[in-house]
Amino acid sequence: DQQVKQNSPSLSVQEGRISILNCDYTNSMFDYFLWYKKYPAEGPTFLISISSIKDKNEDGRFTVFLNKSAKHLSLHIVPSQPGDSAVYFCAASLKTSYDKVIFGPGTSLSVIP
Amino acid sequence: DTAVSQTPKYLVTQMGNDKSIKCEQNLGHDTMYWYKQDSKKFLKIMFSYNNKELIINETVPNRFSPKSPDKAHLNLHINSLELGDSAVYFCASSPDHRNTIYFGEGSWLTVV
C-alpha cells in the first residue's frame, strides 16, 4: 500500500520557467514532510522540509506548499535551471513511528536549456 | 570528507553467496538506516538503529542481518543471496527523526 504517491513519473520544463512537482499522501498522521533530490549514481540529498503546522516553506528558489485537507504537497522551483534536472522524492514521517520516513516513488525532472 | 560512506559501490555476485556492505558515518549521528531501492525505484526502509540498538526492522527476510559495532557503523550482511536481492542499497544517518536523513552514495548489488 503506497502511502506517499507521486503520480507523475517524469516532468520536462523549459529553463527559466517554474517546475511544479506534486505529491499526495494517504495517512493523516504524517506530520513532517521532506523533499529529496537525487542525481544518477548518487544518494538522495535533502532539499527542503515542512512541518504539518505550516502551509508553506521557502528556501531560495524552492518552495514547498502543504494542503493538509487535501493531503497534498507540492514543490515549486523557480526559475528552473538545467542543474535542477534530477529525480525528486517526496517523503513523510509518522508521529507514531518517528524513525521511519516513507518515500514516494520519485519524479524525474528534466530542465531543458 | 564523505559524511556517509558505504562500500562496495558495485557488487556482482552469484546466487547463494554471502556478502556484506559496510557503512560508516562521520557526522556523529545517533541513528543509522539501511534503505533498499528496488527495480521500481521505490526507496524502502529496511532497518533503523539508534545508538547501536535496533529500532525498526521492516518485513525483511532474515537472510538480511544488520550489525552495528558502534554508533558510527552499520553493516549489512546478506546470506544466501537470491536474484530478487538485486537492488541499490543506501545507508543513511540522521541526528533524530525530525532532521534530515543523510544518505550514502548507494551500493549497486547484482545477483547473477
Side-chain angles (χ1 to χ4, degrees), chain A:
Chain A
D1 182 29
Q2 206 176 326
Q3 297 189 63
V4 179
K5 303 177 186 182
Q6 294 176 257
N7 292 321
S8 298
S10 62
L11 176 68
S12 287
V13 171
Q14 207 72 30
E15 181 179 4
R17 306 295 286 269
I18 184 171
S19 296
I20 300 176
L21 295 100
N22 292 305
C23 177
D24 297 290
Y25 60 95
T26 57
N27 193 333
S28 57
M29 294 292 287
F30 286 138
D31 69 339
Y32 195 67
F33 304 89
L34 311 96
W35 284 94
Y36 281 81
K37 176 179 178 180
K38 183 183 180 303
Y39 291 118
E42 293 184 12
T45 55
F46 170 75
L47 192 57
I48 193 169
S49 63
I50 188 167
S51 165
S52 61
I53 61 173
K54 294 185 176 181
D55 54 19
K56 177 183 174 181
N57 188 25
E58 193 172 349
D59 183 3
R61 296 185 297 112
F62 302 91
T63 303
V64 56
F65 295 92
L66 176 62
N67 182 335
K68 286 190 291 295
S69 60
K71 297 195 186 73
H72 177 84
L73 64 155
S74 60
L75 174 69
H76 293 212
I77 307 173
V78 56
S80 301
Q81 299 173 353
D84 296 329
S85 297
V87 176
Y88 289 79
F89 290 97
C90 172
S93 66
L94 291 157
K95 288 176 187 173
T96 55
S97 298
Y98 62 88
D99 275 315
K100 185 156 64 175
V101 177
I102 299 173
F103 285 82
T107 296
S108 178
L109 173 67
S110 296
V111 179
I112 304 161

Side-chain angles (χ1 to χ4, degrees), chain A residues 2 4 31-32 34 36 38 40-46 49 89 93-95 97-106, chain B residues 9-10 31 33 35 37 40-43 45 48 50 55-56 58 90 96-106 108:
Chain A
Q2 206 176 326
V4 179
D31 69 339
Y32 195 67
L34 311 96
Y36 281 81
K38 183 183 180 303
E42 293 184 12
T45 55
F46 170 75
S49 63
F89 290 97
S93 66
L94 291 157
K95 288 176 187 173
S97 298
Y98 62 88
D99 275 315
K100 185 156 64 175
V101 177
I102 299 173
F103 285 82
Chain B
K9 182 155 186 171
Y10 299 100
T31 305
Y33 311 83
Y35 278 82
Q37 186 177 30
K40 294 182 181 177
K41 306 302 181 187
F42 283 94
L43 260 174
I45 191 167
S48 167
N50 184 275
I55 303 298
I56 292 173
E58 292 298 296
F90 288 98
D96 66 47
H97 71 287
R98 295 293 180 187
N99 288 347
T100 61
I101 298 176
Y102 295 79
F103 284 88
E105 292 190 334
W108 271 253

